[in-house]
Amino acid sequence: MQSTIVEQLLHSTVKLTTACEGKVTGSGTGFFVRFARQDNGSFVPAIVTNKHVVNNKDRVIAVCHLAEDQNSTEDQKPSGKFVNCIISIAPEIIINHPDPNVDLCAVPITGILSDAKKKGTPLFVRFLDLSLIPAQDDWQYFDALEEVLMIGCPNGIYDKHNNLPIIRRGITATPVGKRYEGRDEFMVDMACFPGSSGSPIFLYNQSGYFSRKENATLMGAARLHIIGVLYAGPLITNEGSVILSKAPRFSVGSMMHLGNAIRSSELHVLDAEIKRLAGLPLKPEVEIGEPESFEEK
């Protein structure tokens, strides 16, 4: 049975567990992206997440699906088995967005994929392509209110049995065509919690939508874009003040059912940074471990 678009999107997102000095420190969300794609089909595979998810950590653990057999291709299927991909974090490994105010980074995983294949445990991964990002001129045509999906692991919650993240559905809270507070950001109206940091946000219409560009309703047409990456959400503290929370921690404040997202167009900036660094070593030191080898708090 052929998988649906949403089922494939589930396999493009992965829970990230962070550790420092052998102790689990928190969790976040990442997603697989093809960067620096060349005409010959080659590309740099990477996991995208927020800088604050991996800052001051020495390891990130991503529980990945194993492919059915060693001849992994785009037509491959998940085997139902999982393995821990343990990434040793160092400044030379993480590729940060060059703007310190943009909370995005990429972790190249070329070494993970090749190491897993050599060990006879190829990974099943669905990469998001940068072509899913709206063209620069198309942002203006999105409506002030659009239905969106966010895929991630709020508070570290995910389906452990099937190793799948959680899908949340909501709407845009500010127009994605407008730069929220003068930044390439927007807000979404959905429940956002620590652990959701790094979650991709999609605009997905399965069976028709109104096109402002064509001024027509396209019946039966599908539309899929990655439009943002969640990085924070406002909290109301006990004193009643509103703060912006990024850190993967519990707070006595109350969530406001809102999230702050970075426009997906910033992934193009990461892509340019990866291309600039293409001549440098990008393979992290990796090891493959069993899913039970790390115990979460």
Side-chain angles (χ1 to χ4, degrees):
M1 182 171 59
Q2 188 173 5
S3 61
T4 67
I5 289 176
V6 177
E7 286 174 333
Q8 293 186 57
L9 293 180
L10 282 174
H11 286 286
S12 72
T13 305
V14 63
K15 180 187 176 184
L16 302 178
T17 301
T18 57
C20 187
E21 297 181 351
K23 296 181 180 179
V24 171
T25 58
S27 67
T29 301
F31 56 98
F32 302 103
V33 177
R34 293 187 182 101
F35 285 110
R37 193 167 189 178
Q38 304 299 307
D39 292 338
N40 62 5
S42 65
F43 62 92
V44 175
I47 296 175
V48 171
T49 189
N50 297 135
K51 294 174 182 175
H52 77 261
V53 171
V54 297
N55 281 351
N56 303 316
K57 313 298 190 302
D58 56 32
R59 283 189 173 188
V60 172
I61 305 98
V63 184
C64 297
H65 292 262
L66 295 179
E68 280 187 325
D69 55 51
Q70 297 188 28
N71 299 315
S72 182
T73 68
E74 285 295 312
D75 297 326
Q76 190 57 270
K77 295 180 180 180
S79 66
K81 299 178 181 179
F82 325 120
V83 67
N84 269 359
C85 294
I86 305 167
I87 309 172
S88 297
I89 297 298
E92 62 271 19
I93 298 303
I94 304 300
I95 300 177
N96 288 313
H97 190 288
D99 187 339
N101 296 314
V102 178
D103 195 359
L104 277 181
C105 68
V107 184
I109 57 170
T110 303
I112 288 177
L113 296 177
S114 61
D115 188 48
K117 191 169 184 178
K118 287 178 183 177
K119 292 183 177 181
T121 55
L123 304 183
F124 175 83
V125 175
R126 281 291 179 256
F127 287 97
L128 298 178
D129 196 86
L130 297 182
S131 62
L132 291 173
I133 300 171
Q136 184 175 355
D137 292 338
D138 287 341
W139 288 94
Q140 62 182 311
Y141 294 110
F142 292 122
D143 205 342
L145 185 152
E146 297 279 3
E147 292 186 357
V148 291
L149 301 177
M150 183 172 71
I151 302 179
C153 304
N155 277 342
I157 296 172
Y158 74 115
D159 178 357
K160 293 182 181 180
H161 180 76
N162 295 295
N163 189 31
L164 292 175
I166 304 299
I167 302 174
R168 312 208 79 154
R169 188 174 183 178
I171 59 173
T172 54
T174 64
V176 295
K178 304 288 186 182
R179 299 176 70 245
Y180 177 71
E181 294 289 345
R183 302 185 297 267
D184 284 325
E185 299 181 8
F186 60 95
M187 294 192 76
V188 290
D189 182 359
M190 64 172 69
C192 303
F193 293 89
S196 296
S197 293
S199 296
I201 298 173
F202 299 95
L203 189 155
Y204 176 51
N205 302 113
Q206 187 174 14
S207 56
Y209 62 95
F210 177 76
S211 170
R212 295 182 69 190
K213 189 173 185 177
E214 300 179 37
N215 195 30
T217 298
L218 305 181
M219 300 298 294
R223 178 174 61 165
L224 174 65
H225 293 294
I226 176 172
I227 60 170
V229 182
L230 187 82
Y231 79 96
L235 295 175
I236 299 179
T237 66
N238 280 349
E239 293 77 23
S241 58
V242 177
I243 62 174
L244 200 61
S245 174
K246 292 184 181 181
R249 58 180 173 79
F250 291 102
S251 171
V252 295
S254 301
M255 305 301 294
M256 291 183 64
H257 210 83
L258 291 170
N260 294 68
I262 302 163
R263 268 195 191 179
S264 57
S265 53
E266 293 296 331
L267 292 174
H268 287 307
V269 181
L270 261 182
D271 186 56
E273 186 72 0
I274 289 173
K275 289 176 180 177
R276 186 181 73 82
L277 297 171
L280 301 177
L282 293 177
K283 294 182 180 180
E285 177 188 350
V286 299
E287 57 181 298
I288 303 298
E290 294 301 318
E292 296 78 17
S293 60
F294 274 79
E295 183 177 349
E296 297 183 25
K297 288 183 178 179

